[in-house]
């Protein structure tokens, strides 16, 4: 996975709040590799917000000093994305949104930008206050993706993914898949309170995987708006394998087997490892979002 060394990164698409603790809010969290249906499941099974890594309110003081370097100071060029993890995320966000802007324009529509918020430990959103335990997620209330970079270490050490830069890109592109669903009015279909292998919750997650694959298919040809050249210049078969491996690692059956020792399909919210790989590859193989209809 290689970015154009000379490309300018657009850090306006990423908000870096890793140096701050932000006052909490009240609502529900939408989207996310782990946390998309978190509060809904909490209501069903009687789990409180704190146990889900979410807060039902209560402000925290804003930090007055910073130990984190913000991306707008360090992530200038594609060459930075090739050497720094946080700059890589900036470049992936730029590439994903470049593609969806061009795709919407091609279809005669207008794409609404969605910033990514990099945080550490805890963050407040229009969907509530969340901790890093929730994992990456998309909040439809404020049209933003939320990401603690520490999740990528957990993806390898806790969930057994092979890791790699494109595994990270897959996670980010999946969350932007939820943004596309929100713009299209399909995201809310997951919020009917039902779980299981054939539930809308699972279908929404699999469609987001498919949309991530669609981006991957076009990532090395979608032009950057400023240069007219693709920001992502090389994507290898090994990169795609890393993405497929990450998709499998966060399958409901893999997670349940690893953490509870048995598989219970009736409680699935994201789909099996095989399903997640299948739909990511469906998007990658076809490059056509119309082929991502998981609700058929």
């Amino acid at each position: 996975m290689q970015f154009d060394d000379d490309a300018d990164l657009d850090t306006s698409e990423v908000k870096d709040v890793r140096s701050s603790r932000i006052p909490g809010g009240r609502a529900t969290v939408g989207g996310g590799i782990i946390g998309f249906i978190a509060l809904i499941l909490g209501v069903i099974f009687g789990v409180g917000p704190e146990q889900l890594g979410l807060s039902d309110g209560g402000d925290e003081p804003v930090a007055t000093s910073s130990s984190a370097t913000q991306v707008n100071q360090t992530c200038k060029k594609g060459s930075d994305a090739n050497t720094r993890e946080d700059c890589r995320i900036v470049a992936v966000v730029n590439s994903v949104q470049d593609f969806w802007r061009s795709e919407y324009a091609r279809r005669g529509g207008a794409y609404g930008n969605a910033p990514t918020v990099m945080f550490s430990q805890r963050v407040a959103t229009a969907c509530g206050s969340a901790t890093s335990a929730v994992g990456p997620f998309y909040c439809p209330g404020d049209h933003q993706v939320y990401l603690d970079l520490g999740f990528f270490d957990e993806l390898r050490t806790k969930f057994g993914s092979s890791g790699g830069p494109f595994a990270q890109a897959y996670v980010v592109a999946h969350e932007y898949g939820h943004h596309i669903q929100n713009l299209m009015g399909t995201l809310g279909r997951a919020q009917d309170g039902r779980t299981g292998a054939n539930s809308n919750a699972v279908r929404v997650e699999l469609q987001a995987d498919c949309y991530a694959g669609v981006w991957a298919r076009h990532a090395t040809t979608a032009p950057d708006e400023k240069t007219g050249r693709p920001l992502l210049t090389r994507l290898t078969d090994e990169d795609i394998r890393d993405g497929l491996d990450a998709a499998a690692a966060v399958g409901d059956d893999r997670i349940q087997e690893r953490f509870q020792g048995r598989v219970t399909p009736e409680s699935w919210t994201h789909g099996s490892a095989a399903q997640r790989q299948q739909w990511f590859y469906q998007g990658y193989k076809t490059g056509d979002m119309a082929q991502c209809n998981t609700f058929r």
Side-chain angles (χ1 to χ4, degrees):
M1 183 176 179
Q2 182 79 20
F3 295 96
D4 179 357
D5 281 339
D6 297 325
D8 293 324
L9 300 184
D10 183 359
T11 57
S12 71
E13 293 187 347
V14 176
K15 301 177 182 178
D16 188 351
V17 299
R18 289 174 292 172
S19 61
S20 302
R21 289 186 301 166
I22 304 176
R26 302 174 186 268
T28 61
V29 168
I33 292 290
I34 300 174
F36 177 62
I37 312 296
L39 278 188
I40 294 176
L41 292 178
V43 171
I44 293 172
F45 298 113
V47 180
E50 292 80 7
Q51 293 161 285
L52 294 166
L54 303 168
S55 170
D56 58 357
D59 290 350
E60 291 189 1
V62 176
T64 57
S65 62
S66 170
S67 59
T69 302
Q70 298 222 327
V71 295
N72 60 5
Q73 300 171 359
T74 57
C75 302
K76 303 293 187 182
K77 292 287 186 178
S79 56
D80 299 320
N82 289 323
T83 56
R84 287 180 57 103
E85 181 181 59
D86 51 359
C87 299
R88 183 187 306 131
I89 300 305
V90 174
V92 170
V93 170
N94 290 171
S95 175
V96 170
Q97 298 211 104
D98 281 345
F99 167 69
W100 286 116
R101 273 191 292 268
S102 65
E103 180 66 9
Y104 265 65
R106 186 180 72 83
R107 293 171 175 268
Y111 172 78
N113 282 354
T116 284
V117 180
M118 289 185 188
F119 73 98
S120 59
Q121 298 184 358
R122 183 183 178 94
V123 68
T125 82
C127 297
S129 180
T131 72
S132 300
V134 173
F137 63 95
Y138 170 72
C139 173
D142 56 24
H143 293 219
Q144 295 187 139
V145 171
Y146 291 86
L147 174 65
D148 186 328
L149 297 184
F151 173 77
F152 296 131
D153 291 329
E154 293 190 351
L155 190 59
R156 289 185 299 101
T157 61
K158 186 179 291 186
F159 297 98
S161 168
S162 60
F166 191 76
Q168 300 174 0
Y170 154 73
V171 170
V172 174
H174 171 96
E175 298 310 329
Y176 276 93
H178 287 313
H179 178 54
I180 298 303
Q181 291 170 324
N182 195 32
L183 295 178
M184 296 180 68
T186 56
L187 184 60
R189 297 176 72 166
Q191 299 176 357
D192 59 9
R194 291 195 291 268
T195 63
N198 296 314
S199 65
N200 281 340
V202 167
R203 295 176 190 275
V204 161
E205 293 298 333
L206 296 179
Q207 187 176 62
D209 283 335
C210 189
Y211 287 160
V214 171
W215 160 73
R217 181 68 180 184
H218 297 283
T220 57
T221 58
D224 177 81
E225 289 183 333
K226 294 180 181 177
T227 66
R229 303 189 308 270
L231 178 57
L232 186 61
T233 59
R234 188 175 74 240
L235 199 59
T236 66
D237 290 342
E238 182 180 358
D239 290 322
I240 298 303
R241 285 195 296 271
D242 284 342
L244 288 166
D245 188 73
V250 290
D252 283 322
D253 53 342
R254 292 273 187 95
I255 292 174
Q256 288 177 343
E257 183 66 37
R258 180 178 289 264
F259 294 106
Q260 67 185 31
R262 67 187 189 281
V263 176
T264 54
E266 66 273 12
S267 65
W268 286 3
T269 59
H270 286 65
S272 69
Q275 286 176 313
R276 301 202 68 168
Q277 288 186 317
Q278 172 194 342
W279 282 101
F280 172 78
Y281 193 71
Q282 168 83 354
Y284 179 70
K285 177 180 67 176
T286 66
D288 182 4
M289 65 184 300
Q291 301 302 312
C292 293
N293 185 2
T294 57
F295 294 93
R296 284 192 294 235

